[in-house]
Structures are given as structure tokens and as C-alpha cells.
Amino acid sequence: MNSSMMLRRFCCFSANAISSSSSSSASPSSSLSPTRKKPLVFLGSPQVSAIVLDALFNASLAPDSSFEVAAIVTQPPARRDRGRKLMPSPVAQYAIDNGFSPELIFTPVRAGEEAFLSSLKALQPEICITAAYGNILPRKFLNIPQLGTVNIHPSLLPQYRGAAPVQRALQDGVNETGVSLTFTVRALDAGPVIATERIKVDDQIKAPDLLNILFSKGSTLLVQELPSILNGSAMEKAHPQDDTKATLAPKINPEESWLCFDVEAPVLHNKVRAFAGWPGTRAKLFMFDKKTSNHSVLELKIITTRASGQTKTSAGGADDVSFRNNALIIPCGGRTELEVLEVQLPGKKVVSAGAFWNGLRGHLLKKS
């Protein structure tokens, strides 16, 4: 965002604030006017962040609300979809669709830009709320809100600090996770914990669905705790994290998406769930022509799997892929089998394992 745009937004906000102040001071009944709501700045970018923003919008409209969403900070527009059209972040689009002024939606490339920080200071926010913003917050930023910055993190901190907490938790096959509400400090996801909520993890749930659940839980938790955050008591009750119990959730590398069938099936099943959405999981299979024995390499995305918990009982070869119970059965390490329920060929739609199997037309499949 260039400086002139930032200045225009700042002037627009300042003019409205001055106009409101002048109107109040000129009125004989100004002492009877409602108390000014505390300004809150929200930072978020992906679709799950819009869940939190929606909760804040609704809470700010309550008769007893003491705050208002004064501005939104999000990632700059990016080229998305097949048309590569330049589009605002999901949070920015959601805010605009719900009537929020575009003039108060800030999109700095980095949160440490001086023009952006100057505009943020002008808003005099009491508190900043972050939910999957996707930008590192420098000390200069953290020093601006009077009551600090609060983050919604989708894990039970200090477990899974980092960029991919939900994905790494599913990859590890956890049966319980949760969401944490913390004050932000310069160290990675290491701030004092205000509140947490635990949930059980179903062994079939995928990362996008679990993210939605956790941010929904987190937004409810945030609205519940906002009164204590805004009156300062949350800082007193927040407890420090035990750094000795911290685990990390590093950013996912697209090269991790390949499946190796030498490992056990439950490990692969958890990886499929964890990487669903992005970057997905990919596999290579050998496809043999029964008549000529010629073969080719078939690359496909593995969309949905099932952990059967069974040992391999296939009557075919050790590497043969078979079809049973509406699933592709792929032999894996430890004499286990991965049941594949949905796949996707390059450039094609997602199909069931049955439809894929029927399309093979006399070809044999073996794991690569």
C-alpha cells in the first residue's frame, strides 16, 4: 500500500472523528451522550479469519457492547483462481460485503511499514485481535494498542507453535486438540494464555473442517473474554506458557505432499487428512496393460482415505492395488492397507474409488 493511499484513509478517519467530536461538544446535552466505544483493530486474512470477524461485528452491535471494529488489517490483494484475477483477501471481501468502509481496510505488505504504523497510531486502538493474519508483527506494532494484541491460535499452547498447528496435529494423529487465546509477544506463539478450549478429534476429519471448528470455538471464546481484556483484568489472570513443553508446527512444504507406501497406512491416512485443501497429497502408481504388459506411471491426488486397521490379506502380489468395499486397497508398510475412497487425476474432477476403478478398463495397478 503506498503512502498517499494510507494518508487518504487516515484523513478520512480523522475527519469523521473530528466531526463527531465537534458535534458532541456543541450540543448542550453532550454530557448525556453515550460513552464512546473503545476502538478495536482486527487482523486476519483467510476465510477462517472471517468467522472471527463476523463474531466481532455481531458482538459490537450488542446494546451493552463497549467496543467497535475501527479498522481491519489484512494481506494485500493477490491473484487467485484459474483466471489469475487480482482479488482482495477473503477477510477484506467479507468486510466489504458487510458494509465495512474500504477506507478502513489496510493492506500493508509488511506490518512494520512506517506509513501503516502511523495510521494505526492515529486510530488509538485499545486492543488488536489477530486470527491467521499471516504477517510477523514487529515490536513497533505491538507497542501501539494500549491493552496489547490478542491472538487466536488453533492449538493447545504451548503445543504446536507455528504456522501449521492444525495440519501438524492431524499429521501426528492426535485425538484431542483445541484453541488458545493469548497475548502476543515477540517470541513465536509464546505469550501468556488467557483461556483455552479443548475438543476431541475424529479420526476422519480433515484440516479445513477442523480449522473451521477451531476458529468458530475461538471466536466464541474471544467474545466471552473481551470484557476482561478491555478492562485489563485478562492480563492479570493470563498464565505464562511452560516453554519446556513447547512443540513446533513448521510451515508445510509442497514437496511433503508425496505419499510413500513403504510406511504404515495409519501414518498415510493422517497425512491425507492433514494436507487436505493445501497442498493435498499425491501418489504415483504403475498402470499395466494386461495384454501387452506395457506400463505407464499414473500420478493422482489422494483425496479421502480410511484407516482400516487391518493387516494385508490380498491374494495378489505384494504390490498389487485391488478394489474392495468401494475402496482402492493399496498395500503399505507393516503389512497394513490404505483404503482410498476418492481420487483426482490431473486436470479432472474428484471421483469415487469405484468410478476410478471402472475407468481402468482392463489395466492392472501396482504401487510405485
Side-chain angles (χ1 to χ4, degrees):
M1 178 183 301
N2 59 45
S3 299
S4 61
M5 178 63 75
M6 296 293 294
L7 182 60
R8 182 162 63 88
R9 292 182 175 179
F10 164 60
C11 290
C12 174
F13 174 83
S14 300
N16 290 337
I18 293 171
S19 173
S20 174
S21 175
S22 299
S23 174
S24 174
S25 62
S27 171
S29 59
S30 61
S31 61
L32 302 177
S33 62
T35 303
R36 178 177 177 270
K37 290 188 174 184
K38 296 178 179 180
L40 176 154
V41 172
F42 176 76
L43 298 88
S45 298
Q47 192 62 49
V48 289
S49 303
I51 296 173
V52 182
L53 181 57
D54 178 72
L56 288 173
F57 279 160
N58 290 333
S60 69
L61 296 175
D64 59 345
S65 171
S66 62
F67 76 93
E68 62 183 355
V69 180
I72 293 169
V73 184
T74 188
Q75 293 281 13
R79 299 193 183 279
R80 296 184 179 87
D81 301 330
R82 292 185 177 181
R84 307 301 296 165
K85 182 179 179 182
L86 196 64
M87 299 175 67
S89 76
V91 158
Q93 189 62 60
Y94 176 85
I96 292 169
D97 291 344
N98 283 270
F100 195 81
S101 172
E103 298 296 324
L104 293 173
I105 299 175
F106 300 106
T107 58
V109 174
R110 292 178 299 277
E113 293 177 7
E114 290 300 327
F116 164 66
L117 293 177
S118 177
S119 294
L120 184 65
K121 284 181 181 178
L123 295 172
Q124 297 182 336
E126 291 278 336
I127 189 80
C128 289
I129 304 293
T130 62
Y133 170 45
N135 235 333
I136 296 174
L137 301 178
R139 192 176 304 279
K140 287 183 178 180
F141 176 100
L142 297 176
N143 289 338
I144 292 175
Q146 297 180 35
L147 296 172
T149 296
V150 171
N151 180 49
I152 295 177
H153 186 79
S155 82
L156 295 172
L157 291 169
Q159 298 175 13
Y160 297 106
R161 294 175 177 176
V166 171
Q167 293 90 334
R168 297 304 183 185
L170 286 179
Q171 190 176 9
D172 288 345
V174 300
N175 56 24
E176 183 184 60
T177 187
V179 61
S180 302
L181 201 61
T182 68
F183 283 105
T184 302
V185 296
R186 282 290 293 153
L188 179 66
D189 297 322
V193 178
I194 303 167
T196 61
E197 183 167 347
R198 297 174 177 269
I199 68 165
K200 295 295 182 182
V201 179
D202 181 88
D203 64 5
Q204 285 296 125
I205 196 168
K206 297 178 182 178
D209 296 326
L210 185 55
L211 272 166
N212 284 336
I213 291 172
L214 290 175
F215 275 97
S216 180
K217 297 281 187 184
S219 63
T220 301
L221 195 63
L222 172 64
V223 171
Q224 290 174 353
E225 295 292 336
L226 262 179
S228 68
I229 294 170
L230 291 170
N231 68 27
S233 63
M235 182 62 79
E236 298 176 6
K237 75 173 184 178
H239 62 272
Q241 297 182 40
D242 184 349
D243 291 341
T244 64
K245 297 181 179 179
T247 60
L248 297 180
K251 183 178 179 181
I252 293 171
N253 186 318
E255 287 305 310
E256 295 180 68
S257 65
W258 289 103
L259 297 182
C260 173
F261 297 113
D262 291 338
V263 302
E264 294 186 0
V267 175
L268 298 179
H269 170 65
N270 289 335
K271 189 172 185 178
V272 171
R273 297 192 297 138
F275 290 10
W278 190 91
T281 44
R282 297 176 290 171
K284 291 180 180 179
L285 299 174
F286 290 123
M287 185 169 68
F288 286 83
D289 188 309
K290 288 183 179 180
K291 295 180 179 180
T292 65
S293 295
N294 292 334
H295 75 275
S296 58
V297 176
L298 191 66
E299 181 181 319
L300 68 164
K301 282 189 175 182
I302 307 297
I303 304 298
T304 304
T305 57
R306 185 166 57 212
S308 66
Q310 299 177 353
T311 55
K312 187 173 64 175
T313 58
S314 174
D319 294 332
D320 287 354
V321 177
S322 57
F323 183 75
R324 184 177 71 236
N325 297 332
N326 296 316
L328 297 176
I329 309 299
I330 303 179
C332 299
R335 295 183 59 80
T336 59
E337 296 174 333
L338 182 67
E339 299 184 33
V340 179
L341 306 178
E342 292 181 309
V343 298
Q344 183 179 21
L345 290 166
K348 303 294 184 179
K349 294 181 179 180
V350 174
V351 297
S352 69
F356 172 78
W357 186 258
N358 291 335
L360 290 176
R361 296 177 182 175
H363 288 79
L364 296 175
L365 283 183
K366 292 182 179 289
K367 70 177 188 180
S368 62

